[in-house]
Amino acid sequence: MRRVLVIIVSLLVAVQLSAVETYAYAQKDSTTLYLDIHRPTQGSQTAIDSVQKPVILYLFGGGFKSGSRNQVYLLPWYQLLNDNGYTVVAIDYRLGMKDYKMGKGFIGVAKSVGRFCESQNMGVEDVFSAISYLSDHAEIGIDVNNLVLSGSSAGAIISLASVQTLSNGVPEGLPDGFTLRGVMSFAGAIISEHGAPKFKTTPCPILFFHGLNDNAVAYKHYGAFGKGMWGSSYYAARLAKKGGNYCIYRFKDRAHDVAAYMNLLWPEEQAFLEKNVMKGDRRIIDALVDDPALPVWKEWSTMTPQEMYNGK
């Protein structure tokens, strides 16, 4: 992982990052939440056939206990999006698992589901608060009717849970008829205490990336008695039954590493954004990816939930 960070820092030196605009979008639980706007690179193509490219609203990962919107390893991906004509809005959200200690074994994880679910739902509230802020401040110049939500790990969980919430009705504070244009999920799932997630209406187009051996965020389903985590594979199967618009890439011999693959999977992201989202193509892809060249970070592959929240 250290070697990867050195490479990323070198990339940052090699590129000239766009100026960042920062706004305080909410005050919650004595915490000020901020968002950063990274505008498209000057001269980049911001539309295709007169259709404006969507704004990417991104949520960082970190297990609901750590992380930030401006972590150094994220900046090259923001720049890549900017260079390709996309605006990035990176937001804070409340960290509901900060300083949390988990009990031992399966029982410890099971007893933590309520706290995980609360953290997920707090994140969803914060996403909608950020969108409401951007809607109320039109002078900032972000079209909230042209948003693609994206997240990694905990951020991907919040992203998918936000879609589920919207499929069951538009929350108060959002514009009438609000909907997302799409979602890009890097190792995401939905956490529930009330059984498998359900959708009253078919969700927006969704792009899933997930490792088959992910121990941190369920690839299929983790839990019992209606409490647990329903992952990308479950979600994609539900979308298939509902006639949804989705692409899922399943990574053989990879675990939670996939949560940090944003910069490595640009061709798949670009095709999804331009075809599924902008053109509205119902382009269904279900692919098993076996690529030995993709990096493996041992600590991400073997870490247990207890090690994540209690330390090794």
Side-chain angles (χ1 to χ4, degrees):
M1 184 65 174
R2 186 174 301 170
R3 182 181 177 187
V4 173
L5 288 176
V6 170
I7 293 172
I8 289 173
V9 171
S10 299
L11 287 172
L12 288 176
V13 173
V15 299
Q16 183 178 356
L17 295 176
S18 304
V20 180
E21 304 164 31
T22 301
Y23 301 88
Y25 76 83
Q27 181 81 26
K28 298 186 180 184
D29 301 332
S30 301
T31 300
T32 302
L33 300 175
Y34 293 92
L35 61 82
D36 290 340
I37 299 179
H38 303 256
R39 304 284 183 178
T41 303
Q42 187 173 2
S44 62
Q45 183 183 8
T46 59
I48 298 176
D49 295 332
S50 300
V51 177
Q52 284 296 123
K53 292 181 177 178
V55 174
I56 311 300
L57 196 157
Y58 178 74
L59 295 103
F60 59 86
F64 301 105
K65 68 185 291 289
S66 63
S68 70
R69 68 187 189 280
N70 53 10
Q71 288 171 280
V72 65
Y73 83 92
L74 297 173
L75 301 182
W77 186 57
Y78 298 166
Q79 186 65 47
L80 175 63
L81 289 164
N82 290 163
D83 289 346
N84 282 275
Y86 293 90
T87 297
V88 176
V89 178
I91 75 167
D92 287 336
Y93 58 88
R94 289 168 289 171
L95 300 176
M97 300 295 288
K98 189 175 183 180
D99 301 323
Y100 182 76
K101 300 297 182 182
M102 186 179 293
K104 295 182 179 179
F106 177 82
I107 298 299
V109 177
K111 287 183 176 180
S112 302
V113 170
R115 182 68 175 266
F116 276 112
C117 199
E118 180 183 354
S119 300
Q120 167 191 264
N121 295 341
M122 286 168 53
V124 172
E125 291 176 7
D126 295 343
V127 166
F128 293 151
S129 292
I131 294 171
S132 294
Y133 176 86
L134 293 170
S135 178
D136 292 341
H137 293 80
E139 70 278 6
I140 295 176
I142 299 298
D143 182 2
V144 298
N145 294 309
N146 194 22
L147 288 179
V148 168
L149 201 57
S150 182
S152 303
S153 191
I157 290 172
I158 294 170
S159 298
L160 294 177
S162 298
V163 175
Q164 184 200 8
T165 299
L166 287 169
S167 76
N168 290 287
V170 178
E172 185 177 352
L174 292 178
D176 291 341
F178 174 81
T179 187
L180 291 166
R181 294 291 308 282
V183 169
M184 298 192 297
S185 168
F186 297 85
I190 292 182
I191 305 167
S192 174
E193 295 185 277
H194 307 291
K198 295 180 174 59
F199 308 90
K200 288 185 179 179
T201 60
T202 303
C204 62
I206 302 179
L207 173 62
F208 301 93
F209 298 108
H210 215 127
L212 272 63
N213 300 333
D214 196 330
N215 295 316
V217 175
Y219 163 66
K220 292 182 179 178
H221 171 236
Y222 182 86
F225 308 112
K227 298 183 179 181
M229 185 181 290
W230 283 261
S232 301
S233 185
Y234 170 84
Y235 210 135
R238 290 287 297 169
L239 288 174
K241 289 182 179 179
K242 293 185 72 69
N245 187 343
Y246 70 96
C247 301
I248 181 168
Y249 294 86
R250 311 167 191 263
F251 290 81
K252 183 181 178 183
D253 300 327
R254 292 297 181 273
H256 203 54
D257 316 78
V258 177
Y261 279 1
M262 295 88 68
N263 216 43
L264 304 175
L265 301 173
W266 171 242
E268 290 78 13
E269 298 161 31
Q270 183 178 32
F272 172 78
L273 291 169
E274 293 184 3
K275 297 177 181 179
N276 295 67
V277 174
M278 295 182 67
K279 291 182 65 177
D281 292 347
R282 188 173 179 275
R283 173 177 162 269
I284 310 301
I285 293 179
D286 191 326
L288 178 65
V289 181
D290 184 4
D291 186 352
L294 291 170
V296 175
W297 296 301
K298 186 177 179 181
E299 61 269 36
W300 287 29
S301 301
T302 60
M303 183 179 290
T304 67
Q306 282 78 12
E307 288 172 341
M308 179 180 293
Y309 292 97
N310 304 339
K312 291 189 177 181

